[in-house]
Amino acid sequence: MNSPVYDIFVIGGGINGCGIARDAAGRGLSVYLCEQHDLAHGTSSTSTKLIHGGLRYLEYYEFRLVRESLTEREVLLKNSPHIIWPLRFILPHHKGLRPSWLIRLGLFLYDHIGGRKILPATSTVNLTKDETGIPLKGDYHKGFEYSDCWVDDSRLVVLNAMDAAERGAVVETRSRCIHANRENDLWNITLENNETKEQHKIQAKCLINASGPWMDTTLAGIEYKHGTEHIRMVKGSHIIVDKLFDHSKAYIFQNSDGRIIFAIPYENNRYTLIGTTDVDFQGDPDLVEISAEETEYLCSAANEYFTKNISPQEVVSSYSGIRPLFDDGTSDAKAITRDYVLKLDEENGRTPLLSIYGGKITTYRKLAESVLEKLEEYFPQMGAPWTAGASLPGGDFPHSGFEDEVNSLRACCPVLDAEHARRLVRHYGTRAKTMVAGITSREEMGECFGSNLYPFEVQYLMEHEWAKSADDVLWRRTRLGLEFSDEQKAKLENWMKEFKR
């Protein structure tokens, strides 16, 4: 073969795959990553968009997972202050459900088992006097306020891929692994381009299957010793409605079925994001979508608490994703472990295949460290763990310095108004300065596609962030899809096609 032999080949461009590629490349290993669609096309762009410990997981005694997640909140916040920021949550006490003392005990543990230093502690809220009680029905007098973080999930994936590529990794999107077999202590991997259907081969010493919901179908094309492990696909759906409250805090609501839902200020609080569901799913992950029953469930759950009732007809948008959880035999979808499970298959101590089941976006960095620890015997030359103290691209400013960074960007490019500058810093951090370098007038920004999206930004996304379609830009790079009309989207798509020529 003419191509080089890579140390690690990663299948899957979600948060786990990109996080592993970044960590491995930073330790001096050669890495090749393929993704059959766009980066963050599946689960990693359809989460509830929280970096959180998982308060309800305490009820299932998932103490290790909760502790690791709580510790990671502040690690990720410091490394990615442009796309992750603190968010306070209001938990109204529902007299007919969990008792107040049990909630307070859970929140005490939540405050103390994760080494919290930056985020403020839990407090009690009088909902009859606090602004967070205004949107709620009069039945709710007492509540609790605690801390977690918000994340732009798909941008977290893209930034990990960018950092991996800048450290030497090859990242190839729209390319599917159709076959892999062991030969002469190497993996022979056949890739097929989704658009041209052309095939090419790659060789690697190690194969990592981080394909998430496509785990079982990916394994079907890999020659290995078949085990009994399988993923259990659990669908989580969310709805987006016009904003239900004016303040910047989120809500966590208990439901009578034992589940919880979140109601979160979304896109500068123009909307409210409500989710999620837990429904077993069978079928093609590419075809997942919210059901009428799920929409009704989320509306009803929100209506239990908010004075303003919402109906399915008022849903502005919705999305669904598949959680590829490790099938541990639990009957109830909401009780299945969210912890990650790593399964290793090898041949005579060589050519390892490592398959990843489950995981949370909050613990992706620790998962990557665990993967490389498991592969240490195969790559004794690899460097030490390094990502805990390393900012992601654009995140090299203090976690409390967002406003200073906005002002700095406007000083570099005075033609940007405050709202535009704020959005660019939220998406790109310090990299926004590179993007606008040389722009001194509105005319130099080009013709606006809509919602302050200009050609200079789209060109950057195509050249540095693997964006190839309008959907890539609008839904997985900028979150402007909610604001764009069909006509504006078509105009953007046509411009991108012309730019690629």
Side-chain angles (χ1 to χ4, degrees):
M1 285 188 142
N2 295 324
S3 64
V5 174
Y6 292 88
D7 291 321
I8 292 177
F9 188 95
V10 181
I11 304 172
I15 189 57
N16 289 338
C18 291
I20 292 165
R22 176 197 183 216
D23 195 343
R27 299 192 196 208
L29 300 180
S30 58
V31 180
Y32 198 114
L33 180 145
C34 80
E35 161 57 43
Q36 64 178 339
H37 299 299
D38 181 30
L39 297 172
H41 171 84
T43 306
S44 297
S45 62
T46 55
S47 74
T48 312
K49 310 185 192 311
L50 299 178
I51 298 295
H52 67 139
L55 182 61
R56 73 183 182 90
Y57 303 151
L58 290 173
E59 290 188 315
Y60 299 105
Y61 308 108
E62 297 260 22
F63 296 114
R64 190 211 63 79
L65 176 61
V66 174
R67 181 185 298 110
E68 182 174 275
S69 300
L70 290 171
T71 302
E72 281 297 286
R73 288 183 313 185
E74 297 194 1
V75 173
L76 299 180
L77 173 60
K78 287 188 284 188
N79 292 344
S80 317
H82 48 332
I83 61 165
I84 299 175
W85 57 92
L87 186 61
R88 293 289 276 177
F89 288 78
I90 303 298
L91 171 54
H93 177 232
H94 192 305
K95 293 180 180 178
L97 300 176
R98 297 167 180 87
S100 178
W101 67 265
L102 182 62
I103 295 173
R104 196 66 187 86
L105 175 60
L107 287 169
F108 178 83
L109 290 173
Y110 208 72
D111 274 348
H112 291 91
I113 65 174
R116 177 185 53 80
K117 295 178 181 178
I118 299 172
L119 299 173
T122 297
S123 59
T124 303
V125 180
N126 183 341
L127 295 176
T128 64
K129 296 181 179 180
D130 193 82
E131 64 172 349
T132 58
I134 294 173
L136 301 178
K137 292 180 176 178
D139 308 353
Y140 304 104
H141 306 293
K142 178 182 179 182
F144 303 94
E145 182 177 322
Y146 70 94
S147 294
D148 267 322
C149 292
W150 167 266
V151 62
D152 189 330
D153 52 4
S154 56
R155 288 215 56 76
L156 183 65
V157 177
V158 171
L159 295 181
N160 272 273
M162 285 178 65
D163 204 25
E166 290 172 7
R167 296 174 188 276
V170 176
V171 177
E172 183 178 347
T173 62
R174 269 82 172 183
S175 185
R176 185 167 62 95
C177 173
I178 60 174
H179 184 73
N181 67 284
R182 292 178 171 107
E183 185 178 342
N184 299 326
D185 295 333
L186 291 175
W187 282 103
N188 290 326
I189 303 148
T190 303
L191 300 181
E192 181 177 86
N193 184 286
N194 277 4
E195 297 166 345
T196 66
K197 302 305 178 184
E198 293 178 353
Q199 297 183 1
H200 66 284
K201 295 184 182 295
I202 300 293
Q203 288 187 312
K205 299 173 185 176
C206 170
L207 183 61
I208 295 178
N209 185 2
S211 56
W214 294 267
M215 169 70 71
D216 289 345
T217 54
T218 300
L219 285 173
I222 298 174
E223 296 180 13
Y224 76 110
K225 296 188 290 289
H226 291 263
T228 59
E229 299 85 12
H230 293 282
I231 60 166
R232 180 168 172 181
M233 294 194 289
V234 175
K235 179 172 62 164
S237 297
H238 299 76
I239 58 174
I240 299 167
V241 299
D242 288 331
K243 69 174 182 178
L244 297 173
F245 46 88
D246 293 322
H247 58 81
S248 60
K249 295 174 183 176
Y251 293 91
I252 175 173
F253 296 144
Q254 306 174 75
N255 297 336
S256 57
D257 61 2
R259 284 199 42 73
I260 57 95
I261 65 162
F262 294 100
I264 304 170
Y266 191 60
E267 292 301 297
N268 295 319
N269 207 12
R270 293 193 295 272
Y271 305 96
T272 300
L273 174 66
I274 301 172
T276 179
T277 58
D278 271 320
V279 181
D280 279 309
F281 179 82
Q282 285 86 32
D284 186 347
D286 283 317
L287 303 178
V288 62
E289 61 182 12
I290 193 169
S291 66
E293 291 77 15
E294 287 176 290
T295 300
E296 186 62 49
Y297 173 87
L298 292 174
C299 288
S300 297
N303 291 342
E304 177 78 14
Y305 289 85
F306 288 122
T307 54
K308 180 181 180 350
N309 277 13
I310 55 173
S311 67
Q313 290 72 36
E314 294 173 275
V315 173
V316 174
S317 184
S318 64
Y319 62 86
S320 297
I322 300 296
R323 303 182 189 97
L325 305 178
F326 181 70
D327 191 351
D328 59 2
T330 303
S331 59
D332 192 348
K334 71 176 183 287
I336 305 171
T337 181
R338 266 55 177 174
D339 210 347
Y340 52 84
V341 176
L342 310 178
K343 290 297 180 180
L344 184 65
D345 175 82
E346 62 177 7
E347 189 174 79
N348 300 322
R350 298 185 180 182
T351 53
L353 163 65
L354 186 64
S355 296
I356 299 163
Y357 299 80
K360 296 174 59 199
I361 197 166
T362 304
T363 55
Y364 87 90
R365 194 195 65 81
K366 291 297 292 183
L367 181 149
E369 287 188 341
S370 297
V371 165
L372 291 168
E373 181 181 357
K374 208 169 185 69
L375 297 176
E376 202 168 24
E377 62 181 290
Y378 306 99
F379 302 105
Q381 80 279 15
M382 79 165 70
W386 62 278
T387 57
S391 61
L392 284 168
D396 49 337
F397 62 92
H399 67 85
S400 58
F402 178 80
E403 294 299 332
D404 290 339
E405 197 57 37
V406 173
N407 293 334
S408 178
L409 178 62
R410 294 193 71 192
C412 291
C413 187
V415 298
L416 296 175
D417 61 40
E419 182 181 354
H420 193 182
R422 179 177 293 274
R423 184 181 70 76
L424 292 179
V425 175
R426 268 291 172 229
H427 290 152
Y428 311 106
T430 58
R431 298 286 175 104
K433 292 176 183 174
T434 303
M435 185 189 299
V436 302
I439 295 176
T440 59
S441 68
R442 284 279 177 182
E443 291 71 27
E444 290 174 337
M445 293 169 66
E447 185 180 357
C448 183
F449 297 110
S451 301
N452 273 334
L453 180 67
Y454 288 86
F456 73 85
E457 182 178 354
V458 180
Q459 181 177 342
Y460 173 89
L461 293 173
M462 295 178 73
E463 293 177 343
H464 300 283
E465 296 196 4
W466 298 274
K468 296 184 179 181
S469 73
D471 278 345
D472 296 352
V473 172
L474 296 177
W475 294 109
R476 289 178 291 276
R477 302 300 188 286
T478 68
R479 301 288 181 194
L480 293 175
L482 285 171
E483 307 298 326
F484 263 56
S485 67
D486 291 342
E487 182 181 354
Q488 289 172 318
K489 179 181 174 181
K491 182 179 178 181
L492 171 61
E493 192 77 67
N494 290 334
W495 187 91
M496 294 178 70
K497 287 178 181 177
E498 287 297 319
F499 182 78
K500 282 192 289 189
R501 289 181 180 177

